[in-house]
Amino acid sequence: MGEAGIFSEDDRVELIEGEIFDMTPIGHQHAGLVNRLNRLLVMAAGGRAVVSVQNPLRLSEQSEPQPDLALLKPRADDYQGAAATATDVLLVVEVADTSRDYDRTVKIPLYAQHDIPEAWLIDLPGKVVEVYRDPSPDGYRDVRRYGREKTIRPLHCPEVEIETARRFYSRVRIITLPRYIDFLVSRRTNISRKPKEGICG
């Protein structure tokens, strides 16, 4: 939408099912967590994946959401020539405070409809991480909730471990430095199932 001149780069809006939605302001806790996850995913994935921060995903002519983070397949131009599409995405992450109901009921089902294999909703007020896997047109079939003192790893990048400790999300780290990364380039139907190893190791 920005390239078409409809909005400026400073406008915080996203296109969902043909409707334009204002995006909520970003607070310091939200921004800090996005920064931390970005840093760790970049370190783990190395040059074998692209970590996209608050950039649009072109899911269709009617939908162009902007998740807080997306883990993408590598592309020579780093997505400068065209926005990422659903087939490029391995993981999306939404960090939610005031937007959690909107993210849960609107954006997460949208990601499932477009066959994005994994989505996380980090609910800051509720101190819960909701992990969505196994997409279908009716939504994600595998939904798990992680509260305090739990460990979570991305399906396709298990070297990154999130520990929801006493201070929620205070311990987010890489548990294993990435070894040789054999990036998944198989058909989408194959990468939607849990692999033996992730893209990062």
Side-chain angles (χ1 to χ4, degrees), residues 17-143:
E17 299 289 10
E19 295 186 44
I20 296 171
F21 290 86
D22 289 320
M23 300 172 68
T24 57
I26 296 176
H28 63 87
Q29 187 180 16
H30 181 145
L33 182 56
V34 170
N35 289 340
R36 182 177 299 169
L37 289 171
N38 174 47
R39 175 170 54 86
L40 294 174
L41 284 171
V42 168
M43 290 173 63
R48 302 300 181 106
V50 174
V51 181
S52 179
V53 182
Q54 295 171 343
N55 290 320
L57 298 177
R58 190 168 179 78
L59 301 184
S60 70
E61 292 290 334
Q62 300 296 314
S63 293
E64 199 168 299
Q66 298 181 42
D68 285 303
L69 289 159
L71 188 63
L72 307 176
K73 295 178 182 180
R75 203 171 76 184
D77 68 346
D78 289 318
Y79 297 91
Q80 186 176 15
T85 65
T87 57
D88 299 311
V89 183
L90 295 173
L91 168 70
V92 292
V93 180
E94 296 287 359
V95 178
D97 31 38
T98 59
S99 66
R100 59 182 173 174
D101 290 339
Y102 165 71
D103 290 338
R104 185 181 292 122
T105 61
V106 176
K107 295 185 75 173
I108 296 296
L110 181 69
Y111 296 142
Q113 291 165 16
H114 288 275
D115 201 32
I116 290 176
E118 183 172 15
W120 290 9
L121 175 60
I122 301 180
D123 179 353
L124 292 175
K127 295 181 170 55
V128 169
V129 181
E130 298 176 5
V131 175
Y132 298 83
R133 292 171 178 165
D134 194 8
S136 77
D138 298 322
Y140 286 95
R141 289 180 285 248
D142 183 353
V143 181

